[in-house]
Amino acid sequence: MEATLLGTVFGLSPVSSERVVGNAVFPSSKSKPRRQTHRVTAINSVASKTHVGVRRIQKNEDGAKVVKLVENPYSGAETASPDLRKCLSDFLEEARDFVGGDDGPPRWFSPLECAAQAKGSPLLLFIPGIDGTGLGLIRHHKKLGVVFDVWCLHIPVRDRTPAKDLVKLIERTVKSENHRFPNRPIYLVGESIGACLALDVAARNPNIDLALILANPATHVNNLMSQPLVGMLNVLPYGVPTLLEEIFGFKQGDPLTAMLDALTNEFAVHQIGGAGGGILRDFFTVSANLPTLSRIFPKDTLLWKLELLKSAVASANSHIYAVRAVTLILLSGRDQWLLNEEDIDRYSHTLPKCNVRKLKDKGHFLFFEDGVDLVSIIKCTCFYRRGKSHDHLSDYIMPTRYELKQQLDDHKLLIDATSPVYLSTLDDGKMVRGLEGIPSEGPVLYVGYHMLLGLELGPMVIQFLKERNIHLRGLAHPMLFLNGKDALADTQMFDKYKIMGGVPVSNFNIFKLLRSKSHVLLYPGGVREALHNKGEEYKLFWPEQPEFVRVASRFGAKIIPFGVVGEDDICDLVLDAYDQTNIPILKDFMEETTKKAGNLREGDGTELGNQICYLPGLVPKIPGRFYFYFGKPIETAGKEQELKDKDKAQEFYLQVKSEVEQCIAYLKMKRESDPYRHLLPRMLYQASHGFSSEIPTFDL
């Protein structure tokens, strides 16, 4: 599936982009099933008893519901754009079926769209916010369903179960599923009130392996807003839904409702006006569904939910110190009613393993916001796991086509500005332009020079995907994977490395990657090369010991030495680590960052041990050109016994290092004869030959 998925993004092989269409089957008392088709997994939990069975799509008297399921889990709503995911109108349409004749106790259901999860996927229990429908993740069902077994809690409109009993209901399900699968983690995803209930469940069950995702957890109730709301609700008459229908004509099938639906669809199809169009679309959607909203939030239910909110917040705040579960808190930048930043700071310091991720310019209903993708957030925070702890290899979730397209868009400016030249070497030693000389099958270990700030990474990884459909797994400094209190700064700047499969560098991870026949990218110079000082460009800072040679030979991996040049053609380094030690503020920042990051080469007496983490001061130039040269693959197959000898391994290691230095020297020499090294000649060439044309370079 990996090759198919990557190939589709870059046009290498066609994959069906047919959308998956489905609804969570939750029949109301008015519908009488007559015939059953299409089997899917579902859960039906009534109050104190959880029953796992089979739910089928039902054909009722007023027509059949058709559900189409496709094999490829990534075909559908997230193939190209998040805009194809379900939206507010879908939520309200499906909520209409949930609240019609909705009686009974709270119970679990599993959306049909979540029926494609892989074997062994962890359980995800969604605990809704104030709406109680359980449809709060409707925009995320398809993607979540690929990697989780998703159950959603539905709390009927007329239900008055107190917070402590809701906690007991969730707790019974957690204990039951933990008994069935003791080695599988259970995810509790809670929104506002639901986040408080999730915290209470975790506090009562410290010995169960839980992972909490709390979206805008209600930490306090703003009395300045809640008290006037309660007073207004108390004077409102009952029967508001009926009044709305009679006064404004908001009935299903009426001309006014049909017109609002048409306007909503028009905005959805044409994506009018960006953010403004989205606001108008939501306005028309809400206007067309006022009766549904008033049935979800009748007066007595709203009054009850406010009381439920107060008791849930008080209980969660009193039990917070007993929580032992790993926690991911998602915060909106524009939610001030139920959210208090001081409380969140207290949570982040009180909860033992807590990571707070702030999403600016987002509102209270986080999971309905454009640009919020729960699965991507889980990937970027390394929060997904199938066992006791996160494994960067076995728990890695392949990027979706949209995520790959995002990476391409993010690096488009750099790629267009530098017009990279890629050279590779065939088995017979012939140099060719492009990546034809790169082996298709792994294991392959790419060993080379790290540019300043790793500027070569994006263009190189994208080119491998685009030209050869090869997914490089890069070994990176562990500081890129720190979360929570240990994080260096805003961790979102490192999201791209996690999305694209970066792995913390270690001997064990190299071993596992090569064992799985991956294409592995290794920079022996690491941070010392990527954050070098003035005059150190293109200088290798490699350890003296042959660290990667023996593990590569154990799996018969091909080693490809490579060089890359061009950093000195796009910027000048004017403020390096030595300069910053003379500036007190920058010196303190540099020392703190270096301490947090840790020195992987601590104790190394060479220059490599001098790993300082700092932000280089750069002055941009009119961009020149990047050049990549991948040398002839060096075979290690059949040499395992030979390379066990320390001297032989050292000799082999120095050979690889020498090859990298030769690649760099060759590129530095040959770029002088490239007529298109500078930006203006490249622009003129593309203006006359087309902007998608390949720009020539020096003679090989």
Side-chain angles (χ1 to χ4, degrees):
M1 186 184 75
E2 177 177 330
T4 306
L5 176 60
L6 298 175
T8 304
V9 179
F10 298 104
L12 297 175
S13 60
V15 172
S16 169
S17 60
E18 180 180 14
R19 290 190 63 187
V20 181
V21 182
N23 292 293
V25 181
F26 209 101
S28 68
S29 58
K30 297 179 182 179
S31 60
K32 299 178 180 180
R34 295 181 59 187
R35 193 173 58 147
Q36 297 174 331
T37 59
H38 293 299
R39 174 173 173 168
V40 293
T41 304
I43 298 92
N44 197 358
S45 174
V46 180
S48 62
K49 183 178 180 181
T50 301
H51 173 68
V52 179
V54 172
R55 180 66 60 85
R56 295 173 173 84
I57 300 176
Q58 300 170 333
K59 185 174 181 180
N60 299 325
E61 293 177 348
D62 38 312
K65 288 185 179 180
V66 179
V67 176
K68 301 176 72 176
L69 300 177
V70 295
E71 287 187 11
N72 182 3
Y74 289 110
S75 294
E78 55 79 46
T79 50
S81 168
D83 297 322
L84 295 177
R85 295 184 298 171
K86 288 191 172 182
C87 57
L88 181 61
S89 60
D90 297 296
F91 165 77
L92 292 171
E93 182 181 347
E94 296 193 18
R96 185 186 304 137
D97 297 332
F98 272 56
V99 299
D102 185 17
D103 292 311
R107 59 265 197 185
W108 299 101
F109 71 95
S110 182
L112 294 181
E113 300 153 311
C114 299
Q117 74 267 11
K119 184 178 180 181
S121 296
L123 176 65
L124 184 149
L125 301 178
F126 174 63
I127 308 169
I130 196 168
D131 65 286
T133 61
L135 292 171
L137 293 177
I138 191 169
R139 299 196 72 191
H140 310 267
H141 282 165
K142 285 186 175 70
K143 289 184 69 174
L144 286 171
V146 176
V147 292
F148 288 104
D149 182 9
V150 181
W151 300 12
C152 304
L153 181 63
H154 174 68
I155 305 173
V157 172
R158 299 186 182 90
D159 181 74
R160 297 296 180 264
T161 303
K164 63 179 182 179
D165 290 338
L166 288 174
V167 168
K168 291 178 181 178
L169 183 153
I170 300 165
E171 183 181 31
R172 280 193 294 270
T173 304
V174 165
K175 287 183 174 180
S176 171
E177 291 304 305
N178 181 66
H179 179 74
R180 294 177 65 223
F181 304 102
N183 297 319
R184 184 179 73 169
I186 297 175
Y187 283 72
L188 299 182
V189 179
E191 184 179 28
S192 64
I193 299 177
C196 296
L197 300 178
L199 282 169
D200 253 1
V201 172
R204 291 164 61 102
N205 298 275
N207 297 323
I208 294 180
D209 187 9
L210 298 175
L212 308 183
I213 301 177
L214 312 179
N216 290 330
T219 60
H220 81 302
V221 179
N222 189 333
N223 291 324
L224 291 176
M225 297 180 67
S226 63
Q227 289 178 356
L229 178 61
V230 171
M232 182 183 68
L233 288 172
N234 281 323
V235 300
L236 272 179
Y238 288 94
V240 172
T242 306
L243 289 173
L244 285 170
E245 292 177 1
E246 291 179 354
I247 296 174
F248 296 103
F250 288 122
K251 291 184 178 180
Q252 200 65 27
D254 283 353
L256 180 56
T257 304
M259 181 187 72
L260 291 171
D261 283 336
L263 286 170
T264 301
N265 293 333
E266 187 74 11
F267 275 87
V269 170
H270 295 291
Q271 296 297 311
I272 296 175
I279 294 171
L280 285 173
R281 182 185 66 232
D282 290 344
F283 170 76
F284 288 127
T285 298
V286 171
S287 300
N289 290 276
L290 279 176
T292 300
L293 285 170
S294 58
R295 284 185 170 85
I296 295 174
F297 301 113
K299 170 186 170 179
D300 55 341
T301 296
L302 268 179
L303 289 169
W304 165 253
K305 289 292 176 71
L306 288 172
E307 292 302 315
L308 179 68
L309 172 65
K310 292 177 182 178
S311 62
V313 168
S315 181
N317 284 331
S318 64
H319 296 149
I320 189 71
Y321 295 96
V323 176
R324 294 292 175 266
V326 292
T327 308
L328 172 62
I329 298 179
L330 307 179
L331 295 184
S332 295
R334 295 187 289 107
D335 182 17
Q336 301 298 326
W337 184 29
L338 302 177
L339 203 59
N340 186 304
E341 289 197 9
E342 292 180 359
D343 289 334
I344 296 299
D345 288 339
R346 177 170 60 88
Y347 278 20
S348 66
H349 288 90
T350 302
L351 296 171
K353 302 171 185 176
C354 181
N355 180 18
V356 178
R357 190 176 180 91
K358 296 182 180 180
L359 304 172
K360 299 177 181 178
D361 302 322
K362 304 299 179 187
H364 177 74
F365 298 103
L366 193 61
F367 295 132
F368 285 109
E369 293 275 356
D370 291 333
V372 175
D373 186 328
L374 182 56
V375 174
S376 292
I377 291 173
I378 290 172
K379 292 180 188 180
C380 294
T381 51
C382 300
F383 206 69
Y384 183 75
R385 57 190 174 92
R386 297 180 179 90
K388 294 296 182 183
S389 60
H390 176 77
D391 187 300
H392 288 277
L393 276 71
S394 61
D395 291 329
Y396 175 60
I397 303 172
M398 282 295 299
T400 63
R401 294 171 214 164
Y402 176 71
E403 288 166 344
L404 290 175
K405 183 178 181 298
Q406 268 190 320
Q407 294 303 313
L408 183 62
D409 292 342
D410 290 346
H411 292 93
K412 190 177 188 305
L413 180 61
L414 179 62
I415 293 171
D416 289 346
T418 57
S419 304
V421 174
Y422 297 90
L423 307 175
S424 61
T425 310
L426 303 178
D427 289 337
D428 60 5
K430 180 183 178 182
M431 184 190 301
V432 294
R433 184 166 185 186
L435 301 177
E436 185 183 348
I438 302 298
S440 299
E441 300 297 327
V444 181
L445 183 63
Y446 302 83
V447 184
Y449 168 71
H450 215 355
M451 263 193 188
L452 184 65
L453 294 176
L455 291 171
E456 82 286 355
L457 270 173
M460 181 170 70
V461 170
I462 288 171
Q463 188 66 21
F464 268 74
L465 287 169
K466 194 173 182 179
E467 185 176 337
R468 294 300 307 277
N469 206 19
I470 290 174
H471 184 200
L472 291 178
R473 300 296 303 272
L475 290 153
H477 195 288
M479 68 178 174
L480 303 186
F481 302 89
L482 295 175
N483 285 312
K485 296 182 282 289
D486 298 326
L488 297 181
D490 183 5
T491 58
Q492 296 183 43
M493 70 176 69
F494 303 132
D495 284 356
K496 58 185 178 182
Y497 302 111
K498 301 166 190 175
I499 288 287
M500 297 306 295
V503 179
V505 63
S506 71
N507 291 332
F508 186 52
N509 282 337
I510 297 175
F511 177 91
K512 291 196 294 183
L513 284 167
L514 294 178
R515 183 178 60 185
S516 64
K517 298 186 177 181
S518 300
H519 288 251
V520 186
L521 179 60
L522 173 67
Y523 294 104
V527 171
R528 184 62 184 87
E529 279 179 7
L531 298 178
H532 62 69
N533 296 302
K534 296 175 186 175
E536 295 178 343
E537 59 271 9
Y538 309 127
K539 180 180 178 182
L540 299 186
F541 292 93
W542 285 24
E544 294 182 353
Q545 301 301 318
E547 298 174 335
F548 58 83
V549 171
R550 292 178 183 175
V551 68
S553 66
R554 177 166 181 173
F555 298 102
K558 294 182 176 69
I559 297 178
I560 299 183
F562 72 91
V564 54
V565 302
E567 65 178 75
D568 52 342
D569 273 352
I570 63 169
C571 63
D572 279 326
L573 176 58
V574 296
L575 202 64
D576 65 10
Y578 295 123
D579 296 326
Q580 294 187 24
T581 56
N582 298 319
I583 305 173
I585 295 177
L586 295 180
K587 179 183 178 182
D588 293 342
F589 174 78
M590 190 167 57
E591 290 177 350
E592 181 184 354
T593 303
T594 302
K595 183 179 178 180
K596 273 192 172 184
N599 188 348
L600 298 180
R601 303 292 182 182
E602 191 171 0
D604 191 315
T606 67
E607 184 63 26
L608 183 62
N610 185 26
Q611 290 189 358
I612 299 175
C613 293
Y614 78 104
L615 189 62
L618 305 176
V619 174
K621 293 181 177 180
I622 297 175
R625 202 169 191 184
F626 282 176
Y627 301 86
F628 295 79
Y629 177 21
F630 297 89
K632 182 180 178 181
I634 302 173
E635 295 283 353
T636 65
K639 297 182 179 181
E640 183 178 359
Q641 292 301 320
E642 176 187 346
L643 293 176
K644 284 184 178 179
D645 180 87
K646 186 176 180 180
D647 294 334
K648 293 286 186 183
Q650 185 69 22
E651 182 183 343
F652 188 94
Y653 176 73
L654 293 176
Q655 177 194 348
V656 175
K657 183 178 180 181
S658 175
E659 291 279 350
V660 173
E661 291 172 332
Q662 289 177 38
C663 290
I664 295 172
Y666 175 84
L667 292 175
K668 289 175 67 177
M669 177 187 67
K670 293 295 289 185
R671 69 174 175 173
E672 300 295 335
S673 61
D674 183 2
Y676 299 99
R677 177 181 176 182
H678 302 292
L679 181 62
L680 182 57
R682 297 200 302 271
M683 293 177 65
L684 294 174
Y685 181 89
Q686 287 190 319
S688 59
H689 292 81
F691 288 98
S692 61
S693 59
E694 185 180 62
I695 302 172
T697 185
F698 51 77
D699 295 329
L700 302 183

